[in-house]
């Protein structure tokens, strides 16, 4: 039915011979058949109140795949009076036909099978090869000029019924082969003319661009030419001024040459007269030059001797400076050693003071021990008087104690001497 509808629409439009409008029956039947083709195998979508089955969903997807379809989609949304998605889809089909881009839009849609699977079942017409065939047939509709008034037309409530009587063959169709051949030739010619027109439009656009670029370059060249002319005028003026100055300089030079020539002739006469005196002066100067040369040679020899003596003096000064530096380093080392010795002497002096203090303490201890010894001796005398036995024991104990104390004092004294030493 799609093939018959498209073929019948093209043949009737060419025989009709002018722009089609909305009331043309084959055109109305074409939209009904396209609506049925787009509805075939459409998935049912559940809405809040009922089930929704509309072709506006896949058609609305075209603007995302084909940027030029954004304008037609925006026009459909802005149309007043369209309340249902089906009405928007019918308006979209009419606008696409008027733009002669219905085949391009649907071709972009059927290529994206993965996106169409969200709207159609796997056996739908748009998912099968027949969809590509119908899109190919729609290319032939580009020869039709349609002027459809979408605004104000009731597209929401139209009932799409296919009138099969328009596609049944009659006796007149059997003898219409020649007319079909003529129609095909006219279609081919129209397609050729449209393609030629497209190529000419592209050529004209390119020529316009070239003309604009040439005009811009021409204006630039005119400006450069004006600047060059101004520069030429300035250079000519400068050339004329330089030529006038050159003539003045030439005249001054000639006058100066004449004056110089007279002076040279006078100087030549004077030179001839004074040449003899100059020869004598030359001989005298030559003799003086020889004497000066000999004197200079002597001075150079003396200078060489002075230079060698200077080098020797510099070498001796360097050795002397090196010796002085070494002695200064040794003096610095001796000063450091002297400081270290002073520090050691101060430390030994402090230790000696500590040792003397310890000796004083030990002497006090010894004096105390001697006092105790005297006390013990007195006690021993008393004990001897009281008891001889105890006297003997006490003497023995005291002597041992005294020996121990004296040994300890001697040991302490030796330690103090060792420390002080």
């Amino acid at each position: 039915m799609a093939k018959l509808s498209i073929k019948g629409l093209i043949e009737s439009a060419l025989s009709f011979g002018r722009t089609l409008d909305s009331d043309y029956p084959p055109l109305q039947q074409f939209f009904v058949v396209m609506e049925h083709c787009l509805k075939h195998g459409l998935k049912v979508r559940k809405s809040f109140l009922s089930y929704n089955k509309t072709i506006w969903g896949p058609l609305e997807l075209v603007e995302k795949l084909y940027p030029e379809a954004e304008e037609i989609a925006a026009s459909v949304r802005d149309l007043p009076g369209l309340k249902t998605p089906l009405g928007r889809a019918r308006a979209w089909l009419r606008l696409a036909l008027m733009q002669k881009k219905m085949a391009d839009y649907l071709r972009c849609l059927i290529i994206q099978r993965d996106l169409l699977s969200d709207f159609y079942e796997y056996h739908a017409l748009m998912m099968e090869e027949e969809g590509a065939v119908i899109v190919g047939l729609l290319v032939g509709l580009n020869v039709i000029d349609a002027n459809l008034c979408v605004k104000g037309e009731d597209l929401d409530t139209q009932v799409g019924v296919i009138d099969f009587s328009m596609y049944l063959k009659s006796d007149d169709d059997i003898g219409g082969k020649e007319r079909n051949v003529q129609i095909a030739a006219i279609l081919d010619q129209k397609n050729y003319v449209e393609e030629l027109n497209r190529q000419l439009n592209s050529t004209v656009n390119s020529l316009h661009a070239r003309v604009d670029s040439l005009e811009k370059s021409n204006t630039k060249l005119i400006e450069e030419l004006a600047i060059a002319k101004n520069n030429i005028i300035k250079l000519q003026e400068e050339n004329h001024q330089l030529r006038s100055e050159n003539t003045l300089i030439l005249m001054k030079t000639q006058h100066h040459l004449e004056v110089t020539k007279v002076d040279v002739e006078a100087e030549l006469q004077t030179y001839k007269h004074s040449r003899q005196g100059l020869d004598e002066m030359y001989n005298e100067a030559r003799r003086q030059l020889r004497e000066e040369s000999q004197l200079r040679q002597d001075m150079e020899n003396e200078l060489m001797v002075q230079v060698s003596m200077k080098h020797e003096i510099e070498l001796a000064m360097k050795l002397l400076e090196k010796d002085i530096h070494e002695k200064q380093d040794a003096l610095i080392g001796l000063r450091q050693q002297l400081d270290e010795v002073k520090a050691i002497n101060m430390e030994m002096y402090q230790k000696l003071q500590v040792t003397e203090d310890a000796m004083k303490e030990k002497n006090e201890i010894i004096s105390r021990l001697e006092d105790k010894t005297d006390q013990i001796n007195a006690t021993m005398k008393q004990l001897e008087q009281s008891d001889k036995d105890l006297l003997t024991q006490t003497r023995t104990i005291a002597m041992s104690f005294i020996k121990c104390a004296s040994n300890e004092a001697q040991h302490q004294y030796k330690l103090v001497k060792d420390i002080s030493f």
Side-chain angles (χ1 to χ4, degrees), residues 121-374:
E121 301 290 345
Y122 69 94
H123 62 276
L125 179 66
M126 297 299 291
M127 300 290 289
E128 298 291 339
E129 296 296 331
E130 286 80 359
V133 175
I134 292 174
V135 171
L137 294 173
L138 290 175
V139 178
L141 296 179
N142 293 335
V143 300
I144 297 174
D145 296 327
N147 186 10
L148 308 177
C149 183
V150 181
K151 186 176 180 180
E153 190 174 356
D154 187 11
L155 299 176
D156 293 330
T157 59
Q158 285 184 0
V159 179
V161 178
I162 300 175
D163 187 6
F164 292 98
S165 62
M166 296 179 62
Y167 308 107
L168 297 176
K169 290 185 178 181
S170 60
D171 295 334
D172 296 333
D173 295 331
I174 298 173
K177 291 184 179 180
E178 295 181 357
R179 186 169 60 85
N180 292 332
V181 172
Q182 293 177 358
I183 290 171
I186 292 170
L187 287 175
D188 293 336
Q189 291 177 1
K190 187 174 182 180
N191 291 329
Y192 173 73
V193 170
E194 288 182 353
E195 184 65 26
L196 184 61
N197 190 15
R198 290 177 185 175
Q199 294 179 359
L200 290 174
N201 287 329
S202 63
T203 306
V204 168
N205 292 328
S206 63
L207 289 175
H208 280 305
R210 290 182 63 185
V211 167
D212 293 335
S213 63
L214 289 174
E215 287 178 353
K216 292 179 180 178
S217 61
N218 191 14
T219 53
K220 290 181 179 179
L221 289 174
I222 290 170
E223 292 176 356
E224 292 177 356
L225 181 61
I227 294 168
K229 286 181 178 179
N230 294 327
N231 293 328
I232 289 170
I233 293 169
K234 291 179 180 178
L235 291 172
Q236 287 177 353
E237 292 177 354
E238 291 179 358
N239 189 11
H240 181 69
Q241 185 178 0
L242 291 171
R243 284 184 178 180
S244 61
E245 292 177 356
N246 191 11
T247 54
L248 292 174
I249 292 169
L250 183 61
M251 292 173 65
K252 290 180 180 179
T253 305
Q254 289 177 355
H255 179 69
H256 184 66
L257 285 173
E258 292 176 357
V259 174
T260 306
K261 188 175 181 181
V262 174
D263 294 336
V264 167
E265 289 178 355
E267 289 178 359
L268 182 61
Q269 294 295 329
T270 306
Y271 174 73
K272 287 179 179 179
H273 293 293
S274 61
R275 183 173 181 179
Q276 187 176 0
L278 290 173
D279 291 336
E280 294 176 357
M281 291 173 64
Y282 173 73
N283 293 325
E284 182 65 22
R286 188 173 181 181
R287 184 180 61 77
Q288 290 179 359
L289 179 62
R290 288 176 182 174
E291 292 176 356
E292 292 291 336
S293 298
Q294 185 65 34
L295 183 61
R296 182 179 178 182
Q297 186 69 31
D298 296 336
M299 292 297 291
E300 287 180 354
N301 294 329
E302 187 177 356
L303 180 62
M304 292 297 291
V305 173
Q306 293 292 332
V307 168
S308 62
M309 290 176 67
K310 184 179 178 181
H311 286 305
E312 292 177 358
I313 291 169
E314 288 179 354
L315 182 60
M317 289 294 292
K318 288 181 180 179
L319 294 173
L320 183 60
E321 287 178 356
K322 185 177 180 182
D323 191 11
I324 289 169
H325 287 305
E326 290 177 354
K327 289 180 178 180
Q328 286 179 353
D329 294 336
L331 183 60
I332 291 168
L334 291 173
R335 285 179 180 176
Q336 291 178 355
Q337 291 178 5
L338 181 60
D339 293 335
E340 292 176 358
V341 169
K342 286 181 179 180
I344 292 169
N345 288 333
M346 288 298 295
E347 186 178 357
M348 292 301 295
Y349 178 74
Q350 291 175 359
K351 289 181 179 181
L352 181 61
Q353 291 292 329
V354 173
T355 305
E356 288 179 354
D357 294 336
M359 285 293 293
K360 289 179 181 179
E361 291 178 359
K362 296 298 181 180
N363 290 326
E364 290 176 358
I365 292 169
I366 290 168
S367 61
R368 289 175 186 174
L369 290 173
E370 288 178 353
D371 294 336
K372 286 182 182 181
T373 304
D374 294 336

